[in-house]
Amino acid sequence: MSDDLKNSVIFARGELNPYGKYFTGTSYLNMLSLEGVVMGNVTFEPGCINNWHIHKADKGGGQILLVTGGRGWYQEEGKEPQELHAGDVVNIPAGVKHWHGAAKDSWFVHISVEVPGENKSNEWLEPVDSDDYKKLK
């Protein structure tokens, strides 16, 4: 991790991500809150991204990403990828298929906020096509 990113990191990196089987590359998870609103600090090594996934809920739900460091990507199915930097906020409604993670050449850190809802679940899907990811700068 570069010195600039180390100096900008707010929360500890945490342990190896227990959901790592749904990621390409190495990521770390530090759960910040398990009460009320669930929040975790997720750190992605360069080139690490998660699989396509959907946050499901009967009512409410979804996810908010608060980017705190590095450079990364977010993409919803059927849309172009969005480059992300510290200070960016992504609101992801329940039911939207998407992925997010680091750029090839940068660490990436975000706080993942689970939007409260009823009967929430997360469906992990297929990995992002490696050829599509390689096209990103």
Side-chain angles (χ1 to χ4, degrees):
M1 187 179 293
S2 71
D3 285 341
D4 286 345
L5 186 56
K6 281 182 188 175
N7 293 334
S8 71
V9 171
I10 300 167
F11 299 102
R13 180 177 74 180
E15 304 298 322
L16 277 174
N17 192 335
Y19 301 98
K21 67 182 179 181
Y22 303 113
F23 287 66
T24 299
T26 303
S27 65
Y28 304 87
L29 178 62
N30 175 11
M31 292 308 299
L32 303 175
S33 173
L34 295 172
E35 296 179 27
V37 177
V38 176
M39 294 182 283
N41 186 69
V42 185
T43 302
F44 299 77
E45 289 188 357
C48 176
I49 60 175
N50 55 31
N51 289 7
W52 288 98
H53 58 286
I54 301 170
H55 301 279
K56 296 182 173 186
D58 290 343
K59 183 177 179 183
Q63 181 181 39
I64 301 170
L65 305 179
L66 306 172
V67 181
T68 60
R71 185 171 74 89
W73 294 97
Y74 167 78
Q75 184 178 16
E76 292 181 6
E77 184 177 44
K79 296 185 179 179
E80 292 297 314
Q82 299 174 21
E83 188 171 343
L84 300 176
H85 300 273
D88 288 337
V89 176
V90 180
N91 287 282
I92 309 162
V96 173
K97 183 177 178 180
H98 67 282
W99 68 269
H100 38 97
K104 295 179 287 238
D105 62 350
S106 177
W107 286 76
F108 180 62
V109 185
H110 68 57
I111 297 171
S112 172
V113 180
E114 288 186 26
V115 176
E118 295 177 9
N119 299 315
K120 297 183 310 172
S121 65
N122 192 38
E123 181 180 3
W124 289 101
L125 303 165
E126 72 278 4
V128 173
D129 183 275
S130 61
D131 290 334
D132 290 340
Y133 178 74
K134 287 176 187 173
K135 292 175 189 173
L136 301 174
K137 301 209 186 262

